[in-house]
Amino acid sequence: MSIKKKHLIKIVAVVFIGLTACSPSQKDTVDYTAYVDPFIGSGGHGHVFVGASVPFGAVQLGPNNIHKGWDWCSGYHYSDSIVIGFSHTHLSGTGCADLGDVLIMPTTGKIQTNRGEQNDISNGYASLYSHKNEVAKPGYYSLLLDKYSIKAELTATERVGMHKYTFPEGNNEEHVVIDLKEGNGDQSYDTYLKQIDENTIEGYRFSHGWSPDQRLYFALKSNVPVHLSVYDDNDPKEGTELKGTGVKGILSFDKAPHELMLKVGISPVSSENALANINAEIPGWDFDGVVKQAHDQWNKELSKIDMTTGDDAARSTFYTALFHTMIAPALFNDHNLDFRGHDKLVYTGNKFNNYTTFSLWDTYRTENELLILTQPERVDDMVNSMLGIFKQQGKLPVWPLVGDETNCMPGYSAVPVIVDAYLKGFKGFDAEEAFNALKSSATYPEQNAVPYVMSKGYIPCDSVREATSIAMEYSVDDWSIAQMARKMGKTDDFEYFSKRGNYYKQYFDPEIKFIRPKMADGSWRTPYNPVLPSHNGWRDFTEGNGWQYTFFAPQDPQGLIALFGGDKEFTAKLDSFFVVSGDMGPDAPADISGLIGQYAHGNEPSHHIAYLYAYAGEQWKTAARVRQILDEFYTDKPDGLIGNEDCGQMSAWYVMSSMGLYPVSPSGGIYVFGSPRFDKVVLNLPQGKTFTVEAENNGPKNIYIQSASLNGKPYTKSYISHEDVVAGGVLKFVMGDKPDYDFATSEEDRPKSVL
């Protein structure tokens, strides 16, 4: 039976006839997890995590293939058929590989400590598998290992992974491999294993990778007595304790168990804390109970958005997207709230949950705004986590991963996330402390190219790699700082950072009407082709080109329109953007995918651009492009994501856009209208409030807004404020198959960067 058919059967089994939206009292009876297919995005270039986890959990327990490059960044790719075990940490949707810590593999027959190779697994512990014997759903994963006829089942809590292995009957040579050398694209440099008692193992794995110095501790509990044999890589050693660069262990049994269960707790602090996490989160051995607990956690979070549609595939795509927005950021502390900071010091006595894996350059665009609506109870903790990192390393995080700074991607993109939370009324963090962190990071002399911004007002493209993208991102971030300064009454800071927020204009060449890199002497990059990401051996743009960055001023669309000379000139250029083709050259990043002309939906710098038409009074063009992207670039297949998931951003774009709302301007406090994908979407807010988006006469061809009303009153704007959304109410659109050219054309009805 195909995966699609299996999921369709599940959906039919749990959904009432008509598939109508549920009221808050009814939604508890709906199994939203049945609409989720975790395999969506596990093929193609989606790079999503497949396995067992709970929302925002530290543990992502799932299968690992042999790492073979970029498409195995999560440790798993749908095209593969060889599994080397099940590890407890994974990335989801990133363009870089790491983690895959504490790899565990059940085996039968002679002891094997070598994993095997892709073209020969006969002398290793790896096994073939088939998707027909694989099940993945929120909080649960299972796989039949063909080589051993072992059924592996996995589930998880926040900090503990639980394994259940069913061995074939009549076998007396059962073992479990613990491989601390193997990771996913990283290199272990210090590992340790020790047997504590007949049911308990402890250890740690320190590694260098994308995270420069990751330190993970663990404890393992078995439901039956075990004997640990230790190996230095593949060499057996005496005793039940070993330290080395790539320690491996073999668990053996006096009496071969038909059913083996393991609990593995992880900790950034110590093995003792990892064991305490096990005792706190899974004190017993009720595997099915933990599966149900994980299921219920996912169902609760997924129920925060309830939608109505007759399109089963789109429903699965939507709820899988919502599911993907809750894998990262991930908890990075113990059950007692202890954690290890970026300075490698242990922090105790904390009052908040510490988070890591912030893909900020990606997620500030949509994911973090969505979390404010769906996860408001976590927002303060996430901001406090970022402020903690500021104290530990002297600047706000850029791309923090498991207790380290990767410094990956341009910008100091924690800034718009923090400012957005402040402007939307979150008060669980110190605002003065936060503003100091913003200002200090924007003037930090060791922050990439910041001295150029402060001394020259721009970043020379012949001095800094990807200079133009870095500078454009800094303008977004600095604009956000100005908005927080304005609200706090810090006039001097407001004026200074407002000026820096307009620095993007210095890169606009009025002769050719493109953003163009500038040289150290102030001249333009010559020769220059806006289709190419690089010139004269210099990479000018981050995962993009001059066409895409020409429209990269989400903080100031009005200013960008003015640079072109007005609405007509701007929309003409934007029309060209969606049709012009061109070869990006041999060094074009693989991330530039999902092309419509030069628009690249597979990468984040393009994500807001379809919505810019609304700022120029042509909302109908936004509707047409947004619906095209929704329909063509998101499907319910394994290759159903057109580019890297990027820790929830690609999916958050789908969730927000299919509601008909999109946050173009970071920290701007408004949502621009696109084209609502579903008949009805109910956002379940705190205090029992709901915000409903209805799309009357909606359909595959009826993509254009004819009229709108808010709480029963005519509504002529092409945007709505955050305040109106969280107040609760009903936003109703009447849809049609032809544009209403007059909808929201007047200046007062168009979106603004600042209300």
Side-chain angles (χ1 to χ4, degrees):
M1 184 181 294
S2 70
I3 293 170
K4 184 175 180 181
K5 286 182 180 178
K6 286 193 290 184
H7 280 268
L8 182 58
I9 288 171
K10 288 194 295 181
I11 290 171
V12 172
V14 298
V15 183
F16 294 112
I17 294 174
L19 294 167
T20 57
C22 303
S23 68
S25 61
Q26 291 174 312
K27 68 185 178 68
D28 294 335
T29 67
V30 177
D31 184 5
Y32 294 88
T33 70
Y35 309 146
V36 174
D37 182 353
F39 292 111
I40 294 175
S42 65
H45 302 312
H47 300 183
V48 301
F49 161 66
V50 173
S53 67
V54 296
F56 308 98
V59 165
Q60 295 98 31
L61 174 57
N64 278 59
N65 306 135
I66 295 172
H67 182 74
K68 290 178 287 297
W70 189 58
D71 276 331
W72 280 261
C73 284
S74 75
Y76 173 99
H77 194 267
Y78 195 79
S79 65
D80 216 318
S81 59
I82 294 175
V83 63
I84 60 174
F86 309 99
S87 64
H88 294 76
T89 59
H90 289 85
L91 293 165
S92 187
T94 57
C96 294
D98 205 336
L99 307 186
D101 298 290
V102 192
L103 185 78
I104 291 180
M105 181 67 164
T107 69
T108 61
K110 70 174 184 178
I111 290 175
Q112 298 275 12
T113 58
N114 178 47
R115 74 167 190 205
E117 299 302 325
Q118 188 71 23
N119 58 357
D120 182 13
I121 63 170
S122 60
N123 292 318
Y125 58 72
S127 172
L128 291 170
Y129 67 94
S130 170
H131 292 306
K132 69 180 182 181
N133 296 319
E134 184 178 32
V135 175
K137 53 188 177 180
Y140 175 83
Y141 176 86
S142 73
L143 183 67
L144 181 67
L145 305 177
D146 291 351
K147 186 174 183 177
Y148 309 112
S149 296
I150 298 171
K151 182 179 181 180
E153 297 177 86
L154 311 174
T155 188
T157 60
E158 281 80 1
R159 301 166 184 87
V160 184
M162 193 171 188
H163 308 237
K164 180 181 177 182
Y165 300 131
T166 304
F167 292 89
E169 294 283 3
N171 183 75
N172 291 316
E173 290 186 287
E174 298 173 357
H175 309 285
V176 173
V177 180
I178 304 174
D179 193 335
L180 301 185
K181 179 181 180 181
E182 191 71 34
N184 189 50
D186 67 355
Q187 181 70 49
S188 63
Y189 73 87
D190 187 8
T191 59
Y192 176 69
L193 270 177
K194 180 181 180 181
Q195 182 156 9
I196 303 302
D197 58 41
E198 65 179 8
N199 295 95
T200 309
I201 309 294
E202 70 175 22
Y204 59 74
R205 182 176 190 265
F206 298 169
S207 59
H208 299 308
W210 188 20
S211 175
D213 185 10
Q214 183 198 3
R215 303 182 187 184
L216 181 137
Y217 298 83
F218 71 94
L220 179 152
K221 296 285 290 186
S222 169
N223 69 326
V224 299
V226 299
H227 299 285
L228 174 67
S229 302
V230 291
Y231 294 76
D232 185 1
D233 199 345
N234 295 320
D235 297 328
K237 298 296 180 181
E238 294 290 333
T240 57
E241 180 179 9
L242 186 64
K243 184 178 184 297
T245 58
V247 171
K248 300 178 183 181
I250 298 292
L251 300 183
S252 303
F253 314 93
D254 287 332
K255 181 180 178 181
H258 174 58
E259 185 176 280
L260 172 69
M261 285 190 281
L262 305 174
K263 297 182 290 191
V264 180
I266 66 172
S267 166
V269 173
S270 67
S271 295
E272 291 78 12
N273 276 20
L275 184 59
N277 291 339
I278 294 175
N279 293 334
E281 295 184 4
I282 311 181
W285 292 100
D286 183 0
F287 183 86
D288 291 341
V290 178
V291 171
K292 184 180 185 305
Q293 178 179 299
H295 166 275
D296 291 348
Q297 286 179 262
W298 278 114
N299 208 44
K300 176 185 175 184
E301 302 307 329
L302 292 166
S303 73
K304 290 181 177 178
I305 302 182
D306 185 82
M307 64 86 147
T308 303
T309 182
D311 185 336
D312 292 343
R315 179 184 294 102
S316 181
T317 301
F318 178 87
Y319 278 105
T320 303
L322 185 58
F323 165 77
H324 281 146
T325 67
M326 295 183 282
I327 295 174
L331 285 168
F332 191 65
N333 63 1
D334 294 318
H335 190 78
N336 65 1
L337 303 185
D338 291 355
F339 66 88
R340 188 179 300 274
H342 284 213
D343 52 9
K344 303 307 173 188
L345 300 177
V346 173
Y347 289 82
T348 62
N350 305 296
K351 304 298 184 184
F352 65 93
N353 272 309
N354 188 55
Y355 286 87
T356 188
T357 317
F358 288 103
S359 186
L360 292 163
W361 181 80
D362 305 288
T363 63
Y364 85 83
R365 306 163 198 269
T366 320
E367 159 87 346
N368 292 102
E369 286 91 338
L370 177 63
L371 295 182
I372 280 178
L373 294 173
T374 61
Q375 300 292 324
E377 67 276 11
R378 301 180 197 268
V379 170
D380 285 326
D381 283 358
M382 291 181 183
V383 171
N384 280 315
S385 300
M386 296 179 205
L387 297 180
I389 292 172
F390 170 75
K391 295 175 185 177
Q392 297 152 26
Q393 66 181 26
K395 65 177 183 178
L396 284 168
V398 176
W399 211 121
L401 177 60
V402 289
D404 253 325
E405 178 61 77
T406 69
N407 283 309
C408 187
M409 310 313 294
Y412 23 88
S413 300
V415 166
V417 176
I418 295 171
V419 172
D420 196 40
Y422 171 75
L423 294 179
K424 288 175 178 173
F426 287 84
K427 302 183 183 302
F429 56 90
D430 187 306
E432 286 292 342
E433 178 185 328
F435 187 80
N436 175 64
L438 307 180
K439 187 174 177 180
S440 297
S441 297
T443 55
Y444 188 60
E446 296 178 34
Q447 189 88 264
N448 190 17
V450 162
Y452 284 112
V453 174
M454 297 179 69
S455 63
K456 298 176 73 72
Y458 71 95
I459 304 174
C461 63
D462 51 351
S463 301
V464 178
R465 185 177 181 271
E466 302 179 350
T468 311
S469 291
I470 296 170
M472 300 288 280
E473 288 286 354
Y474 284 171
S475 290
V476 174
D477 302 333
D478 292 338
W479 180 89
S480 292
I481 298 174
Q483 306 320 304
M484 188 165 176
R486 177 174 59 86
K487 180 142 187 199
M488 297 179 75
K490 299 179 182 292
T491 304
D492 291 345
D493 290 320
F494 169 71
E495 292 176 355
Y496 174 69
F497 285 105
S498 291
K499 180 180 178 182
R500 282 178 48 165
N502 279 290
Y503 278 173
Y504 77 93
K505 296 177 181 178
Q506 299 189 59
Y507 298 90
F508 187 82
D509 182 349
E511 294 294 322
I512 63 172
K513 296 193 183 309
F514 277 102
I515 290 293
R516 186 171 183 175
K518 294 185 75 171
M519 308 288 280
D521 63 4
S523 63
W524 295 116
R525 163 80 78 194
T526 304
Y528 176 59
N529 181 347
V531 172
L532 300 178
S534 302
H535 298 84
N536 299 331
W538 280 90
R539 177 62 63 86
D540 290 320
F541 299 100
T542 304
E543 299 180 8
N545 63 13
W547 265 104
Q548 290 145 21
Y549 276 92
T550 289
F551 296 100
F552 190 73
Q555 79 279 18
D556 186 26
Q558 295 96 332
L560 186 62
I561 291 169
L563 290 177
F564 279 94
D567 297 339
K568 183 178 180 181
E569 294 83 358
F570 176 76
T571 55
K573 188 78 167 186
L574 197 50
D575 290 343
S576 297
F577 175 66
F578 283 100
V579 297
V580 169
S581 61
D583 185 354
M584 296 186 193
D587 62 344
D591 308 76
I592 303 179
S593 60
L595 292 173
I596 306 174
Q598 289 298 302
Y599 178 88
H601 192 71
N603 205 30
E604 280 68 23
S606 288
H607 274 193
H608 68 289
I609 297 177
Y611 288 90
L612 294 179
Y613 283 113
Y615 289 82
E618 295 191 8
Q619 193 281 332
W620 66 272
K621 288 185 178 179
T622 285
R625 288 302 181 188
V626 167
R627 186 64 76 94
Q628 178 185 6
I629 297 164
L630 286 168
D631 290 345
E632 293 182 6
F633 291 156
Y634 294 86
T635 75
D636 64 339
K637 306 296 192 297
D639 63 353
L641 289 172
I642 203 68
N644 293 349
E645 165 64 9
D646 285 315
C647 294
Q649 169 59 25
M650 194 70 69
S651 289
W653 191 98
Y654 185 86
V655 172
M656 292 294 294
S657 292
S658 60
M659 291 173 64
L661 313 174
Y662 192 78
V664 171
S665 178
S667 318
I670 66 168
Y671 306 104
V672 181
F673 296 163
S675 177
R677 177 66 177 79
F678 302 112
D679 300 337
K680 184 177 181 181
V681 177
V682 180
L683 181 62
N684 292 301
L685 300 164
Q687 288 87 50
K689 296 179 182 177
T690 61
F691 181 77
T692 301
V693 179
E694 295 181 359
E696 181 181 312
N697 199 32
N698 196 20
K701 294 183 179 179
N702 293 353
I703 65 175
Y704 299 105
I705 298 172
Q706 308 297 299
S707 63
S709 62
L710 180 63
N711 299 326
K713 297 179 180 179
Y715 194 82
T716 59
K717 303 180 188 300
S718 58
Y719 67 92
I720 189 170
S721 71
H722 175 76
E723 287 79 3
D724 282 341
V725 171
V726 296
V730 178
L731 174 64
K732 184 176 181 179
F733 297 111
V734 176
M735 308 299 291
D737 61 354
K738 293 180 175 59
D740 179 350
Y741 298 110
D742 295 325
F743 179 70
T745 57
S746 65
E747 289 285 347
E748 59 268 24
D749 286 337
R750 302 179 190 182
K752 308 292 189 299
S753 296
V754 180
L755 291 181

